Amino acid sequence: LPARTASANAAGGEAQTFQVGANVPDRWWTLFGSNTINRLVDEALTANPNLASAQATLVQAQENYAATRAALLPTLTLPAIQGTASENNPFTVTTQGNLRISYNVEICCGNARNRESQEATLRRQEVSLQASYLTLTANVVNAVINLALLEERLSSTRQVLSLQQQLVEISQQRLNLGDIAATDLASQQAQVVSTQASIVSLQRQVAQQTNQLAIYLGRFPSEMQPIDVDLSDIRLPTDIPVSLPAQLVAQRPDIVQARYSLESANAGVGVAIANMLPSVSLSGSFTPGALAWNFAANVVAATLNSGANLHRTAAARAALEASAHAYENTVITAFVDVANTLQAITYDAQLMALQVQSEAASRRSLDLARQQYELGTAPYSTVLSAEQSYRNAVTSLLSARAQRLTDTVALYVALGGGWWN
């Protein structure tokens, strides 16, 4: 990596400096300096239904793990209790059966390995919830950036429309003087209609992006108000953290989840082996009336189907191997993800610098073509070509500016989003 990216003499064109070994803050979205982003992210974290579902799923995993641990405790069977009463006899209580206590003692470590597997499943679900937080916050930030981009494109397109309408007036004057053909005026009027259609299309995209944001906020579309935001409200973070490889393995939610899956599969092999061994069942009974205890210990042999047990163990080992390969693939994919994002930040900064030059050049070309057209020294086709080039340059510059923001969001996500903080 270079020490810093390229810069451009335009809003959002600041150079970004790479800080190797730096950490991603837990509320990384605040680095964009947008009150709108901060407010909407906080609202989404409170009201998003998918996040609430992930939280409930975590509670379910916690209760299942607690149930697994409780199953290791002795089982108590209470005797039946009956009560009778009549007109001549007081209320009496009778006890039927014995109080029984039973407990299974295993020869090997099946219960411990099963508990280990359940705990790994629980930890994986905890990290899954953190991944849901990360995905949600990134979606909200990107939605606001996209809205800001669309609003900027609307504004620039309206400016272009104003220029085109001025050219229509000029063309009308020149047509009245007999300097141009009627086709030139008609062509300019067609450009006005085309730009008006582009404005309508952008307005549709703004409405759809606002409705998409409603999903993240847990609202119905009818509850959404227009989001007043533009790109100048969103600051480009200039200090960019770059995690070390050892940090990345420990902090990416998908890698941590894959690690817990691997641990669970490893424990599954131990459970399969333990199921091939016998266990001891301890039981005792207490007769209330006789005040007598009875204790017995039985050795319960494992199922003597060695073929099935061997195949189950082999299946567990294959599941472990599959999890190991899945973990390896997850790590490689994560490193590629980070590399792609860092390269995008580097190259898109260079691209924006070039787009700034292109926009400035096309603007000068359009101004010159308009002056020549007004003086009658250039045909209308020159103005039309310069106008189209300027529109494309403005759109490309706005997209490059927004892309630098979304690249930065992507890097924060690729590095794990700071959830471990």
Side-chain angles (χ1 to χ4, degrees), residues 135-414:
T135 299
L136 176 61
T137 53
N139 284 340
V140 172
V141 176
N142 281 329
V144 176
I145 293 173
N146 288 334
L147 271 176
L149 172 61
L150 290 170
E151 293 291 353
E152 291 281 359
R153 290 183 60 188
L154 266 173
S155 177
S156 65
T157 304
R158 290 187 177 111
Q159 293 175 6
V160 170
L161 178 62
S162 178
L163 293 174
Q164 290 175 336
Q165 290 170 334
Q166 293 175 18
L167 285 174
V168 168
E169 295 175 0
I170 295 171
S171 298
Q172 183 65 61
Q173 294 172 1
R174 293 192 60 188
L175 178 63
N176 294 338
L177 296 174
D179 291 342
I180 63 172
T183 54
D184 290 343
L185 175 61
S187 296
Q188 184 59 45
Q189 290 172 331
Q191 287 296 309
V192 169
V193 174
S194 175
T195 302
Q196 290 172 333
S198 297
I199 290 175
V200 173
S201 176
L202 287 170
Q203 290 172 330
R204 173 181 59 82
Q205 295 176 56
V206 168
Q208 291 177 337
Q209 186 63 75
T210 303
N211 291 338
Q212 181 63 41
L213 189 57
I215 296 177
Y216 305 141
L217 302 180
R219 298 186 194 175
F220 288 99
S222 59
E223 299 173 318
M224 292 294 293
Q225 299 295 325
I227 307 297
D228 185 17
V229 63
D230 54 50
L231 286 179
S232 62
D233 296 329
I234 305 174
R235 182 178 67 239
L236 179 70
T238 54
D239 293 330
I240 302 300
V242 182
S243 299
L244 298 174
Q247 292 175 303
L248 184 64
V249 170
Q251 66 197 30
R252 281 264 304 205
D254 55 346
I255 295 180
V256 179
Q257 285 180 277
R259 190 187 78 216
Y260 283 129
S261 294
L262 180 60
E263 291 180 5
S264 179
N266 184 49
V269 174
V271 172
I273 294 174
N275 286 338
M276 301 175 64
L277 303 175
S279 62
V280 177
S281 176
L282 303 177
S283 63
S285 64
F286 171 69
T287 305
L291 297 178
W293 286 92
N294 180 36
F295 175 81
N298 298 318
V299 177
V300 180
T303 304
L304 297 178
N305 189 340
S306 59
N309 287 334
L310 289 174
H311 287 303
R312 292 189 186 98
T313 303
R317 293 187 184 280
L320 174 60
E321 183 179 357
S323 294
H325 291 308
Y327 177 80
E328 180 183 13
N329 183 72
T330 302
V331 172
I332 293 174
T333 302
F335 275 73
V336 170
D337 188 19
V338 173
N340 286 341
T341 308
L342 290 171
Q343 290 165 352
I345 287 177
T346 301
Y347 291 124
D348 284 343
Q350 298 175 18
L351 178 61
M352 181 176 176
L354 294 173
Q355 293 294 353
V356 169
Q357 298 177 30
S358 175
E359 190 271 345
S362 61
R363 177 64 193 227
R364 290 193 299 268
S365 176
L366 176 59
D367 290 342
L368 181 61
R370 286 186 61 194
Q371 294 172 6
Q372 293 174 340
Y373 180 67
E374 291 176 14
L375 296 174
T377 59
Y380 173 71
S381 59
T382 301
V383 178
L384 188 63
S385 176
E387 180 184 296
Q388 187 62 46
S389 296
Y390 176 66
R391 288 184 61 183
N392 292 339
V394 169
T395 299
S396 297
L397 177 57
L398 288 173
S399 297
R401 184 178 172 187
Q403 188 63 53
R404 294 196 71 193
L405 294 170
T406 56
D407 286 343
T408 306
V409 174
L411 179 62
Y412 289 140
V413 173

Side-chain angles (χ1 to χ4, degrees), residues 4-16 235-238 349 352 404:
R4 54 193 291 143
T5 69
S7 61
N9 187 22
E14 299 85 358
Q16 291 178 298
R235 182 178 67 239
L236 179 70
T238 54
M352 181 176 176
R404 294 196 71 193

